């Protein structure tokens, strides 16, 4: 095929040799390369992996029973060899609790993000693709949710659902039903921003010639949405999904901090802080470790998100 | 450049505007304070101006100012419109009860010459009619004499349909309230009403201030007096209330028991315990209350004197024994006893409450009606296990939780979000697990937890098995409706308060009997029976006696605290020399 | 041939860009001269370095990622590349002015046309507001904007494409510069508008005796406009000649091929177009040998090994090629 | 433009209506305002029934909403519980400017909010000014010095601050500047309230008490905004018109502050205008921690007591503010960007 | 403009059976505005009544300045935009009034090549997916293996190495991408292709490659092209007949050489004279007609002849009466009062 055909036979001779020199690089590989060059993102990714290992690997070191074991005689002990992070108001080991609390916090972050993604992407996609009346309707709903500041809505909804929270048992572990409530509440209040992003993505990608090309080819609407537009809007969705995990973890912490979040005995990094500020002077370890862990995981997720943003879209430098 | 300048200008203007607004918002309260001051001109310093730093800076050596730290802000200062503890304990400052209670919770006449009794003819033999003789020298802070008219007016206000007072208890049991003359008030109950001492005339409304408003608007719900009771009958008079920040009371020059020794009392509202502790330790406050036990050593180290004031609250667990809705195990007295025996409440009190209080044996601990012969169930897990085995609750499937007839002994244990309660839950969960009882912990905001059956409140809808809270009877009276069959919440009775769902005919009869027993000793006997029944059947499991904790700095002298009317001798309080 | 004075003299300019993927060798040793009142054209395909060359001279290459590796650019004897930023500010817009390809993005959307045109007047000529306003009106009139008094208060989006380019011209001409660098000024415009602009520039050039460097990819545009033409490929000048000479007697295979690939509106279709195989070179790799070698029909071994120098092939006509296309054999 | 504003306002009416309806329904299940009335005792059953009746809480929710919206002075209520509605209502409804009375303290909702609003505004606007000044300084400087050491350090710090939850920052600053400074005998910052009641509400007192809450409120926003401004400036600096300005020989400050910043300001202004109303609600967490007597604390206090009228009042006020500020953002945008013309 | 559709005219226009028939096709984009409910307050008349035929195997050039509606015309003819009125028939299928089946068939028979080789290829798809899309969508080759073979054939045909089948568009140069676009258009064996400025985004040296490829393919498969372009030189090279559009209407239509050598409409004349010729001597000697001003907004096109505000020979009636669409010489149609 490298043979040069006679000019009359046309264009085979026009093969450009330079393409063959470069190894095939999928967009994923390119993204990975760009991501790897992003120092902060790498730091964030490593940090994140360590934190996940901490939360999930730690379960092999401490049992959940230990994390919930009260030792009222050893309450509010400062960090020591026995309790590296100290003990809380009923003498539970804070280190062990941050491990199990971390699991729940990460779980809340991820699942709330999923809820947000499902709603946000669906609404945004429908709105952006079909436009017209559906769009106006959906956008009015989106606005309605946005108009109330999230934290207010979160508090109101958390209280609304708090009335009916049976505990749930998954995989042999009992969680406070409020975990589900918080996940839903966070998901239900955060989607509008994503929906707007997805909508604007759809609006702009819809105008691309390759969509017109697909239509000219006779590709069906469903296929255009799912095979053409969605894969192309995946970058901002991934980025915003990543950052959503961080914001969901923070939001959970806010609500728990204000006393409307996940109920004990299920620990989360957020509800470990509830009331801990009453000990700001006397027992700094109560608030310091969970607080620092939240800050760390949010920071590393933000780093990763920023790296992903740059990696997925080299033109964007926006925060 | 253009942008920056205009943006800055814009922001500057906004800041200025907001500062002006912040300044403007204040006159709302002073306006109210100044109006009466103009007519009556009591010795309320000078017209308190906002910008001027109040009093303290003017004559620091002379004016005696005490600062109280409150973690919640008053909702209203009308004594009949609030249930809030912080509001009601403050009433002895600016309002007056017919009689208040001393540190031993003994009634002390304040507006009356003496407490009505059968002996002095103040109480009819059937216990239905109470006749009060008012003192001659009692006056409102504006100089208007307090007469029977004020009592009649207060009664009318409580019963007025358009007034949304917090409670009509026990006024809705009265037939009438009359003023025989200016100094005599006669109250007639429909039925004999034994607990009258504890519940009557917890505050007085000034007819001469509020009647015109009521006549005009048909309600006193929105009366300015509720927020700014500048006319009062306590040793202090309301002066200023800055929303979210503080309330100030100044000495009532016309107080008939003598002008108080302090000149001013500030109530400073700080939103949380930590700030309160910090303020007290820093000497920014002279009195605080409602501490977590864990803060006590620190406060004491800082020289704060802690006063345990028992006000009838005893923290305890109500068992859900509702005929249909409860867990089957809890209907068995052995199981309830086992729970009592398996829960080391003494250790809980020692560790979490730092041994500052005692395990509550009965709901009437620290009331005069207490049966001192009863002491709390001991900690005996072995016996608890034995009792559970006996009752047929054994761990047949080896999952660590006892069961019977296929029902696991898993109990839903709910309480409010108060930290100490959640901590208690965690401890209880662990201890009961050791005898094979699994607890499923839940906690709720108070307004959800205590919401009525109609509102699907957690404590009232029988979805929980163990319900922990502390509820005071009508302290110092032991009367309570929490055990009456008629109070079991249901679709027909959606506002019932019997959260255990227990209907014990015998107990019911005893409760009805005590309410009519005017004779003190007879009543004590009845209550001893009630107490024994509840204790032995473990209808209620006491956790700890829940006194009100007051912290008083060494700056204050002559401080006495009563469980019913904490500041009963506030006029004697003084700054230590 | 040229007795006019040399006004701009570019010597061995090399500019690179350091980007994530590597180094882009954008300009690889460009030398050229420009005389007073002369119009030259720099022709080449996208990425051949024609714009970067002139942006380098103007000091408009963002550093980083750009880097001017070597070279001098003498403007009336002063090496522009050696001047400080502050000194360059006095040259730019006053002595050397530039017009860009897309007048939509090149004009600030949030400032009025009048303000943008008056800026060089204020900065370079210290005009007060009123004088500057007056001058702006004159300038707009000069470039053929109707009703300049009112239109000067318009924003760029209120102008049509052609008018925007006229405004750009007015801005460039504000201080009566000696050299006007026009970077593809008509590429974004329709042919009828292009004709208007070309006509305008020609008229102004003749009126003001201004030297013009016209950067374009369109060999057609150049023909009626420039005196000399410089053809660039892969950051190198491959051929330089007077306009007549270049079209009559192209000597570089690339120029030859380009002309052959162009359909002619003035001729009936007589043949297939001759296409140049392959694609323009990837400048991430420093060209080795003749950069056109991979696409050249006359290519022979030496082309791949050595980069040819820019050799004189006729009077005032130089080409960078080892092959003599006239005689059909390599040069000696 | 007037038409546009009018149209937007008209469009906001159904929006606000729907929001109020949804919120009102949400709030009905948010706790029982008369369960304890904020006290330690459970409200007795007789009083519960009476209060429900008196407060109209026994009515079907849609009727309650209707009364809230349109008042009940055209209807009669049964206050004495005899089954006959005899007392005419007195509420005029939100539509006529009556937001009702707080269930907690029987004050008119507007007054309750008005007492706190200036405090919140003071805190928020100071914070916003801080945010703007520092974010602009940092953002522009780090954009101009892209990839310099300063830029890298600032980027790292902004990320750190941006990621730190507000309460953690607050606790750390409290721990350092209040607790430890005091321990070390340094001048320490107050952590609670707006002023010392004994010292009075002097500007100095208020300013001193504002230090920590303002810092807490601003730090995250400064970080976020400065990143945003940096990227907006970078983008603007890379535009063709900046090159044109350079080609004209304009001095650097003129290029940066007029040509670039005016364009970069467009998205920034929008963001600020959209964020401002959210500040109105007060940073709930900040006000809670520092005991600032503002809207956020008010909201928390009244949410915890199920005080629907006040909570509705706050939320609707914010909703209206958001709508208005969105409109202002649009107008500002059109004012700054001549390309935008609303009709 | 006109809508004279006498059958005789039609017959006269066509000698052979046309593959594509366009009859008074209009495409107006509504402009909406309103206080709450949006009302249509006007419309952008992007295409305002165009009529022409394209014979089998013929290339019709559609030229005009930007904004004249030529791209909209191309898309409306293919049914990618619903027509406001008028008719377009491709191989007997009414593009705008047919059932789904027929439209699906049409999508096989008629294809499109786009201007922007970057935007017209889905960046997330491999070449295999892009070129194979018509084959998959129309179930021509449901088997991925067979489809890949066919894609490779097509790639070879357009001058791309089949080895690159799994590469992504971003790895290709502009010219190569345009060839991918051509291969995609060819995949379903169409008979009619709308080429919407297929070369204007390409470098000069690449343009010829693509043009030659299009010509070869036409010869090989007997394709019919509607070639939309603004480059008049290239149109003269590739097209058999040329239609000149101005503000949504066709002002002149003729055989290629007839049009270029004897343009009748003043707009055509101006347009042709504005095109630079890469020949200095000839270029200098040419008489240019420089048009004044810009193309007016299609929202409010001028009354009468749409060209009259810029027309150097405008007469009084031009601003009032729309000129008739006349055949002034065999196969040479023009709409001008002065002709």
């Amino acid at each position: 095929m490298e043979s040069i055909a006679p000019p009359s036979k046309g264009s085979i001779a026009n093969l450009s040799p330079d393409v063959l020199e470069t190894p095939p690089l999928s967009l994923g590989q390119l993204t990975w390369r760009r991501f790897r060059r992003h120092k902060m993102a790498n730091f964030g990714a490593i940090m994140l992996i360590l934190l996940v290992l901490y939360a999930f690997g730690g379960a092999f070191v401490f049992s959940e029973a230990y994390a919930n074991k009260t030792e009222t005689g050893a309450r509010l002990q400062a960090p020591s060899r026995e309790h590296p992070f100290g003990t809380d108001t009923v003498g539970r080991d804070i280190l062990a609790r941050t491990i199990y609390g971390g699991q729940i916090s990460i779980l809340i972050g991820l699942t709330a993000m999923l809820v947000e993604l499902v709603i946000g992407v669906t609404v945004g996609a429908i709105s952006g693709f079909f436009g017209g009346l559906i769009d106006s309707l959906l956008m009015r709903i989106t606005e309605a949710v946005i108009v109330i500041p999230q934290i207010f809505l979160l508090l109101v909804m958390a209280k609304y659902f708090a009335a009916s929270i049976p505990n749930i048992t998954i995989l042999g572990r009992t969680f406070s039903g409020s975990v589900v409530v918080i996940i839903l509440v966070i998901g239900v209040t955060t989607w509008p921003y994503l929906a707007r992003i997805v909508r604007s993505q759809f609006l702009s990608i819809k105008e691309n010639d390759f969509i017109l090309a697909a239509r000219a080819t006779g590709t069906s609407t469903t296929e255009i949405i799912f095979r053409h537009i969605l894969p192309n809007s995946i970058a901002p969705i991934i980025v915003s999904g990543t950052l959503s995990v961080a914001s969901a973890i923070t939001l959970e912490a806010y609500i728990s901090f204000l006393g409307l979040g996940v109920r004990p005995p299920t620990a989360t990094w957020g509800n470990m802080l509830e009331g801990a500020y009453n000990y700001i002077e006397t027992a700094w370890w109560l608030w310091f470790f969970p607080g620092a862990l939240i800050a760390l995981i949010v920071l590393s997720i933000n780093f990763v998100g920023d790296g992903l943003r740059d990696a997925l879209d080299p033109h964007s430098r926006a925060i | 450049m253009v942008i920056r300048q205009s943006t800055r200008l814009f922001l500057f203007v906004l800041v200025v505007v907001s500062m002006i607004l912040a300044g403007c918002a204040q006159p709302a309260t002073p306006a109210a304070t100044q109006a009466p001051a103009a007519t009556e001109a009591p010795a309320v310093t000078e017209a308190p101006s906002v910008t001027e730093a109040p009093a303290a800076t003017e004559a620091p050596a002379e004016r005696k100012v005490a600062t109280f730290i409150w973690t919640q802000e008053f909702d209203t200062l009308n004594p009949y419109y609030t249930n809030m503890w912080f509001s009601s304990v403050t009433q002895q400052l600016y309002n007056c009860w017919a009689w208040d209670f001393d540190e031993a919770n003994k009634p002390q006449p304040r507006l009356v010459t003496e407490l009505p009794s059968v002996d002095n003819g103040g109480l009819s033999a059937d216990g239905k009619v109470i006749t009060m003789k008012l003192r001659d020298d009692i006056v409102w802070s504006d100089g208007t004499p307090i007469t029977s008219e004020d009592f009649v007016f207060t009664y009318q206000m409580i019963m007025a349909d358009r007034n949304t007072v917090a409670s009509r208890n026990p006024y809705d049991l009265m037939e009438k309230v009359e003023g025989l003359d200016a100094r005599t008030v006669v109250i007639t109950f429909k039925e004999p009403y034994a607990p009258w001492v504890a519940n009557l005339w917890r505050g007085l409304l000034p007819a001469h201030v509020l009647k015109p408003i009521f006549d005009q608007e048909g309600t006193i719900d929105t009366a300015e007096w509720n927020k700014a009771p500048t006319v009062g009958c306590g040793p202090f008079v309301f002066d200023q209330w800055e929303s979210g920040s503080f309330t100030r009371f100044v000495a009532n020059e016309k107080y008939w028991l003598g002008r108080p020794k302090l000149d001013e009392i500030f109530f400073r509202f700080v939103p949380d315990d930590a700030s309160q502790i910090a303020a007290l330790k820093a000497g920014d406050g002279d009195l605080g209350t409602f501490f977590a036990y864990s803060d006590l050593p620190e406060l004491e180290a800082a020289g704060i004197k802690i006063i345990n004031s028992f006000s009838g609250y005893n923290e305890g667990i109500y068992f859900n024994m509702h005929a249909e809705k409860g867990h089957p195990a809890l209907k068995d007295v052995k199981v309830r006893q086992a729970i009592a025996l398996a829960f080391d409440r003494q250790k809980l009190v020692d560790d979490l409450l730092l041994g500052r209080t005692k395990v509550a044996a009965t709901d009437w601990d620290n009331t005069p009606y207490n049966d001192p012969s009863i002491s709390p169930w001991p900690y005996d897990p072995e016996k608890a296990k034995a009792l559970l085995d006996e009752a047929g609750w054994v761990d047949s499937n080896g999952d660590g939780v006892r069961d019977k007839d296929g029902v696991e002994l898993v109990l839903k244990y709910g309480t409010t979000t108060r930290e100490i309660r959640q901590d208690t839950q965690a401890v209880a969960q662990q201890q009961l697990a050791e005898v094979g009882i699994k607890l499923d912990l839940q906690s709720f905001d108070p307004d959800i937890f205590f919401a009525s059956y109609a509102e699907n409140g957690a404590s009232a809808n029988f979805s929980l098995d163990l319900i922990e809270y502390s509820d005071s009877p009508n302290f110092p009276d032991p009367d309570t409706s929490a055990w009456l069959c008629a109070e079991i919440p249901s679709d027909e009775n959606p506002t019932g308060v019997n959260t255990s769902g227990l209907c014990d005919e015998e107990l019911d009869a005893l409760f009805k009997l005590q309410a009519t027993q005017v004779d003190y000793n007879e009543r004590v006997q009845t209550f001893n029976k009630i107490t024994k029944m509840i204790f032995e059947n473990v209808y209620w499991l006491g956790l700890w006696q829940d006194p009100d904790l007051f912290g008083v700095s060494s700056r204050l002298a002559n401080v006495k605290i009563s469980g019913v009317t904490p500041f009963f001798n506030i006029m004697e309080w003084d700054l230590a020399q | 041939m040229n007795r006019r004075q040399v006004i701009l003299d570019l010597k061995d300019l090399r500019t690179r860009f350091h980007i994530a993927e590597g180094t882009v060798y954008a300009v690889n040793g460009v030398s050229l001269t420009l005389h007073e009142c002369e119009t030259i054209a720099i022709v080449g395909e996208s990425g051949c370095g024609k714009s970067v060359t002139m942006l380098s001279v103007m000091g408009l290459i963002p550093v980083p990622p750009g880097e001017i590796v070597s070279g001098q650019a003498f403007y009336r004897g002063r090496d522009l590349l050696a001047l400080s930023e502050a000194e360059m500010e006095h040259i730019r817009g006053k002595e050397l002015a530039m017009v860009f390809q897309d007048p939509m993005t090149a004009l600030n959307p949030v400032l009025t046309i009048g303000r943008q045109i008056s800026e060089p007047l204020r900065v370079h000529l210290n005009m007060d507001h009123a004088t500057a306003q007056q001058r702006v009106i004159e300038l707009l009139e000069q470039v053929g904007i109707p009703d300049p008094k009112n239109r000067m208060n318009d924003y760029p989006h209120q102008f049509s494409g052609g008018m925007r380019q006229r405004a750009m011209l007015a801005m460039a001409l504000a201080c009566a510069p000696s050299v006007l660098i026009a970077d593809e000024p008509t590429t974004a415009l329709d042919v009828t508008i292009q004709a208007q602009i070309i006509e305008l520039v020609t008229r102004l050039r003749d009126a003001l005796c201004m030297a013009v460097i016209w950067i374009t990819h369109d060999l057609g545009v150049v023909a009626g406009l420039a005196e000399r033409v410089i053809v660039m490929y892969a950051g190198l000048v491959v051929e330089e000649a007077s306009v007549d000479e270049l079209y009559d007697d192209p000597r570089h295979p690339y120029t030859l091929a380009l002309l052959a690939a162009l359909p002619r509106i003035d001729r009936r279709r007589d043949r297939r177009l001759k296409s140049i195989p392959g694609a323009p070179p990837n400048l991430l790799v420093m060209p080795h040998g003749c950069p056109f070698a991979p696409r050249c029909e006359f290519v022979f071994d030496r082309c791949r090994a050595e980069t040819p120098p820019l050799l004189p092939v006729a009077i005032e006509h130089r080409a960078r090629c080892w092959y003599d296309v006239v005689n059909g054999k390599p040069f000696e | 433009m007037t038409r546009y504003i009018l149209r937007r306002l008209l469009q906001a009416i159904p929006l606000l209506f729907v929001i109020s309806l949804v919120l009102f329904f949400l709030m009905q299940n948010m706790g029982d305002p008369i369960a304890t009335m904020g006290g330690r005792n459970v409200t007795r059953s007789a009083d519960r029934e009476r209060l429900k009746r008196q407060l109209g809480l026994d009515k079907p929710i849609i009727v309650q909403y209707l009364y809230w919206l349109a008042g009940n002075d055209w209807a009669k209520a049964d206050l004495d519980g005899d089954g006959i509605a005899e007392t005419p209502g007195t509420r005029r409804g939100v539509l006529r400017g009556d937001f009702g009375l707080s269930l907690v303290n029987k004050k008119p909702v507007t007054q309750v909010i008005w007492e706190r609003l200036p405090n919140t505004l003071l805190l928020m606007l100071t914070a916003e000014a801080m945010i703007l000044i520092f974010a602009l300084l940092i953002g522009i400087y780090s954009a101009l010095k892209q990839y310099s050491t300063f830029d890298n350090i600032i980027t790292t710090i902004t990320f750190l601050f941006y990621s730190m939850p507000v309460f953690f920052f607050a606790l750390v600053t409290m721990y350092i500047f209040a607790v430890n400074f005091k321990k070390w005998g340094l001048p320490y910052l107050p952590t609670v309230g707006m002023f010392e009641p004994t010292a009075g509400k002097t500007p100095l007192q208020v300013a001193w008490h504002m230090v920590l809450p303002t810092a807490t409120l601003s730090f995250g926003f400064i970080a976020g905004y400065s990143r945003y401004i940096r990227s907006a400036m970078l983008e603007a600096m890379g535009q063709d018109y900046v090159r044109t300005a350079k080609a004209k020989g304009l001095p650097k400050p003129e290029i940066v502050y007029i040509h670039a910043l005016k364009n970069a300001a467009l998205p920034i202004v929008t963001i600020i205008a959209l964020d401002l109303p959210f500040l109105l609600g007060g940073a709930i967490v900040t006000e809670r921690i520092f005991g600032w007597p503002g809207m956020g604390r008010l909201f928390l206090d009244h949410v915890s007591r199920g005080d629907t009228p006040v909570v509705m009042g706050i939320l609707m006020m914010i909703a209206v503010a958001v709508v208005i500020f969105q409109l202002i953002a649009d107008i500002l945008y059109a004012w700054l960007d001549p390309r935008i013309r609303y009709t | 403009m006109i809508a004279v559709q006498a059958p005789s005219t039609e017959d006269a226009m066509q000698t052979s059976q046309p593959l594509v028939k366009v009859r008074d096709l209009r495409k107006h984009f509504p402009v909406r505005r309103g206080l709450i409910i949006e009302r249509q307050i006007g419309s952008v008349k992007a295409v305002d009544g165009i009529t022409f035929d394209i014979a089998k195997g013929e290339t019709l050039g559609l030229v005009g300045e930007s904004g004249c509606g030529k791209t909209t015309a191309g898309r409306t003819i293919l049914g990618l935009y619903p027509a406001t009125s008028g008719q377009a028939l491709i191989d007997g299928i009414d593009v705008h009034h047919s059932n789904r089946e027929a439209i699906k068939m049409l999508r096989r028979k008629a294809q499109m090549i786009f201007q922007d080789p970057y935007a017209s290829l889905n960046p997330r798809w491999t070449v295999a997916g892009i070129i194979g899309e018509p084959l998959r969508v129309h179930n021509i080759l449901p088997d991925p293996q067979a489809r890949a073979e066919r894609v490779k054939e097509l790639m070879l045909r357009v001058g791309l190495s089949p080895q690159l089948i799994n590469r992504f568009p971003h790895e290709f140069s502009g010219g190569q991408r345009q060839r991918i676009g051509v291969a995609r258009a060819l995949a379903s064996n169409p008979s009619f292709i709308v080429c919407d400025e297929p070369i204007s985004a390409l470098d000069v040296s690449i343009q010829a490659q693509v043009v030659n490829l299009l010509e070869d393919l036409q010869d090989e498969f007997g394709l019919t092209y509607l070639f939309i372009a603004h480059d008049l030189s290239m149109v003269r090279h590739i097209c058999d007949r040329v239609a000149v559009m101005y503000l949504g209407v066709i002002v002149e239509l003729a055989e290629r050489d007839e049009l270029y050598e004897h343009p009748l409409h003043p707009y055509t004349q101006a347009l042709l004279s504005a095109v630079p010729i890469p020949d200095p001597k000839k270029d200098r000697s040419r008489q240019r007609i420089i048009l004044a001003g810009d193309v007016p907004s299609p929202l409010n096109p001028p009354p009468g002849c749409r060209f009259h505000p810029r027309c150097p020979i405008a007469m009084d009636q031009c601003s009032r009466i729309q000129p008739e669409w006349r055949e002034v010489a065999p196969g040479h149609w023009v709409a001008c009062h002065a002709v």
Side-chain angles (χ1 to χ4, degrees), chain D residues 34-277:
Chain D
I34 49 180
T36 64
M37 313 268 289
R40 291 172 75 187
N41 297 70
V42 178
T43 309
R44 308 294 158 195
S45 43
D47 289 322
R48 281 194 188 204
E49 272 168 36
R50 174 181 53 83
L51 282 165
K52 266 180 172 293
R53 204 168 57 227
Q54 288 179 323
L55 298 170
L57 300 176
D58 56 338
K59 295 267 187 310
I61 175 166
I62 189 73
V63 175
Q64 290 189 40
Y65 177 74
L66 205 64
Y67 285 0
W68 176 82
L69 190 71
N72 65 352
D73 49 2
W74 39 272
K76 284 198 164 77
D78 172 23
L79 293 185
D80 52 10
D82 59 1
I84 305 159
E86 67 288 282
T87 321
T90 51
R91 286 158 59 185
R92 284 176 300 122
V94 170
L95 292 180
R96 285 178 285 166
D98 177 10
F99 279 78
L101 299 180
S102 159
L103 298 179
V104 169
N105 54 27
K106 306 289 182 300
K107 288 190 210 173
V109 169
T110 36
Q111 186 195 336
V112 172
I113 294 176
W114 182 244
E115 281 172 354
R116 299 293 188 89
L117 186 61
N119 297 344
T120 288
L121 279 181
L122 178 66
L123 185 63
M124 295 305 148
L125 293 178
T126 316
E128 188 67 39
M130 291 292 142
I131 292 167
L132 270 186
I133 292 166
F134 284 104
L136 276 172
L137 285 178
I138 295 171
I140 293 174
Y141 192 75
S142 63
L144 295 181
K145 307 271 170 191
Q146 195 190 5
Y147 302 129
S148 66
T149 322
F150 174 86
D151 183 34
N152 285 334
I153 291 173
I154 281 294
T155 303
T156 314
I157 292 178
T158 49
F159 257 102
L160 204 65
F161 278 9
Y162 183 69
S163 306
M164 212 186 277
V166 164
F167 52 79
F168 190 60
F169 184 89
L171 292 173
V172 169
T173 49
M174 268 168 99
Y175 190 64
I176 296 173
F177 296 108
V179 176
N180 279 330
F181 266 41
K182 191 167 158 193
K183 215 176 271 173
W184 301 329
L186 296 167
Y188 61 96
L189 290 165
T191 55
V192 171
M194 200 172 167
F195 53 91
E196 285 299 319
T198 41
K201 196 173 181 176
T202 61
L204 192 72
Q205 271 290 327
V206 174
W208 189 235
H209 278 76
M210 263 168 64
V211 175
L212 281 184
T214 315
T216 305
L217 264 181
S218 337
F219 79 99
F221 281 100
I222 291 178
Y225 279 18
S226 66
R227 292 282 299 162
Y228 198 87
I229 291 169
R230 176 179 178 273
S231 66
M233 276 302 284
L234 277 179
E235 179 162 346
M237 289 299 285
Q239 293 297 315
D240 284 356
Y241 51 77
V242 167
R243 194 177 59 183
T244 309
K246 272 179 101 176
K248 278 191 277 190
L250 296 189
K252 185 138 187 172
E254 199 154 332
I255 295 173
V256 172
Y257 293 112
I258 292 180
H259 282 266
L261 187 58
K262 195 161 182 202
N263 280 282
L266 296 176
I268 298 168
V269 164
T270 319
I271 286 197
I272 292 169
L274 293 184
D275 276 353
L276 265 175

Side-chain angles (χ1 to χ4, degrees), chain C residues 218-253:
Chain C
D218 187 344
L219 280 164
V221 170
V222 171
L225 188 76
E227 295 166 49
R228 266 189 312 133
V229 181
I230 289 157
V231 182
M232 283 185 73
Y233 188 81
L236 289 167
V237 174
V238 293
E239 185 162 7
E240 181 184 349
S242 72
V243 67
D244 291 350
E245 176 102 0
L246 188 93
Y247 286 85
D248 287 347
D249 187 15
R251 295 299 183 90
H252 195 279

